[in-house]
Amino acid sequence: MSNDYIPPKVWKWEQPSGGSFASINRPIAGPTHEKELPVGRHPLQLYSLATPNGVKVSILLEELLEAGHPAEYDAWLIEISKGEQFGSGFVKVNPNSKIPALMDHSLNPPQRVFESASIMLYLAEKFGGAFIPEDPRQRTEMFSWLFWQMGSAPFVGGGFGHFYAYAPMKIEYAINRYAMETKRQLDVLNRHLAENEWMAGIYSLADIAIWAWYGNLVLGRAYNAAEFLDVQSYAHVLAWAKRIDARPAVIRGRKVNRNWGEPWEQLPERHSAADFDALPKAPG
């Protein structure tokens, strides 16, 4: 790659650009191969991977179960590094070929839901407005923060995370540009959480969605960048992240559709609560 690159008048896809996902990136939509999705015995079928967007939904499902809602589900692993999101069955559920995706077989015909915030809102409304504040002001605040996360996190994952951890070369300008924006977003959160225990008055969808990205970031689980971003300086974000991290449903939910890390943290498929009990025990 040259430092004096001049963009052509019309961009053409000629060869992979390098980086961790170069082999599956392409500028067109649609399936690349025929593959039907599995369907388990529960009405709710989740097709996902334990990325920040993926764990939003698995954590919410576990929170719903913890709160006594009949939200039993099957979770199936979609290995995006192998291009499984481009299988014909998955594309039928999400034409954008991104995880997570959900099918609700309690309806006839079954209902597909894609985009993580859309899935969260669908599930919350399905179970009586769970984790959505009843107070109109808190409800509005929750929606503002939920969609703040949806609009802001691409700068963290697609921007900072890509250029800091996944790009084929370290580009100082790109890393500095996205590090600055990531730290600005952390400061937005830190200022809000200095005066609020939760994002919208009570623990809500906004906390789950934001924690999946920024909580994991300050807890040192993303891009090996905790020291680089000086996450310890965001004390209020860190305290909030630790409160959420200790919740039993969060502990379970972040293991679902995970196929890396310690053996006791990996539950590639989830079909019942008993699956967690079958995991190896963590040392100590």
Side-chain angles (χ1 to χ4, degrees):
M1 294 185 183
S2 172
N3 290 329
D4 56 356
Y5 170 71
I6 299 175
K9 290 183 177 181
V10 179
W11 183 86
K12 293 182 179 181
W13 184 37
E14 296 179 348
Q15 61 183 11
S17 59
S20 299
F21 298 98
S23 63
I24 60 169
N25 288 336
R26 60 198 185 111
I28 55 175
T32 60
H33 58 282
E34 292 294 320
K35 184 177 181 181
E36 293 302 310
L37 292 174
V39 178
R41 63 188 179 90
H42 300 299
L44 296 174
Q45 300 291 304
L46 176 64
Y47 304 96
S48 191
L49 182 69
T51 65
N53 285 331
V55 299
K56 292 179 195 175
V57 177
S58 54
I59 287 172
L60 175 57
L61 285 163
E62 292 297 328
E63 290 281 16
L64 288 165
L65 290 168
E66 185 85 8
H69 296 285
E72 272 296 344
Y73 68 102
D74 294 281
W76 304 92
L77 179 67
I78 300 296
E79 294 197 67
I80 61 175
S81 63
K82 297 181 179 179
E84 292 183 354
Q85 70 274 34
F86 298 114
S88 58
F90 190 88
V91 174
K92 288 179 183 177
V93 183
N94 185 354
N96 196 39
S97 292
K98 302 288 184 181
I99 61 91
L102 181 80
M103 288 294 294
D104 184 353
H105 290 269
S106 69
L107 304 177
N108 188 19
Q111 177 67 56
R112 76 178 186 184
V113 198
F114 58 92
E115 287 296 323
S116 57
S118 179
I119 298 172
M120 294 180 80
L121 289 167
Y122 178 84
L123 290 171
E125 291 176 347
K126 182 179 179 70
F127 295 105
F131 301 101
I132 297 177
E134 293 183 5
D135 178 83
R137 289 184 178 275
Q138 291 182 342
R139 178 186 174 90
T140 300
E141 186 80 357
M142 186 217 74
F143 277 106
S144 293
W145 282 112
L146 178 62
F147 289 107
W148 173 84
Q149 183 275 311
M150 293 295 290
S152 298
F155 286 95
V156 179
F160 174 75
H162 175 78
F163 286 108
Y164 185 79
Y166 302 131
M169 63 180 63
K170 304 300 182 187
I171 303 172
E172 182 179 5
Y173 172 81
I175 292 173
N176 286 343
R177 168 68 180 87
Y178 287 107
M180 181 182 299
E181 176 60 14
T182 299
K183 288 180 70 64
R184 189 193 68 80
Q185 292 178 23
L186 287 171
D187 192 46
V188 169
L189 286 176
N190 203 56
R191 290 168 185 265
H192 179 72
L193 290 167
E195 300 177 354
N196 299 274
E197 182 181 12
W198 304 112
M199 296 306 301
I202 64 170
Y203 180 70
S204 71
L205 299 183
D207 294 285
I208 296 171
I210 294 170
W211 180 88
W213 279 93
Y214 301 88
N216 277 311
L217 184 64
V218 299
L219 291 170
R221 297 177 183 149
Y223 317 123
N224 292 316
E227 182 179 7
F228 179 77
L229 294 172
D230 188 24
V231 298
Q232 296 295 325
S233 64
Y234 305 101
H236 304 295
V237 180
L238 192 55
W240 163 85
K242 289 178 178 178
R243 286 197 299 274
I244 296 176
D245 198 51
R247 294 176 68 90
V250 175
I251 294 171
R252 294 195 303 272
R254 62 180 297 267
K255 297 177 182 180
V256 175
N257 295 143
R258 185 180 178 91
N259 62 349
W260 69 91
E262 301 293 350
W264 52 86
E265 294 181 327
Q266 297 184 42
L267 191 62
E269 291 186 10
R270 187 268 189 212
H271 304 290
S272 75
D275 293 336
F276 295 104
D277 297 330
L279 291 176
K281 299 301 180 184

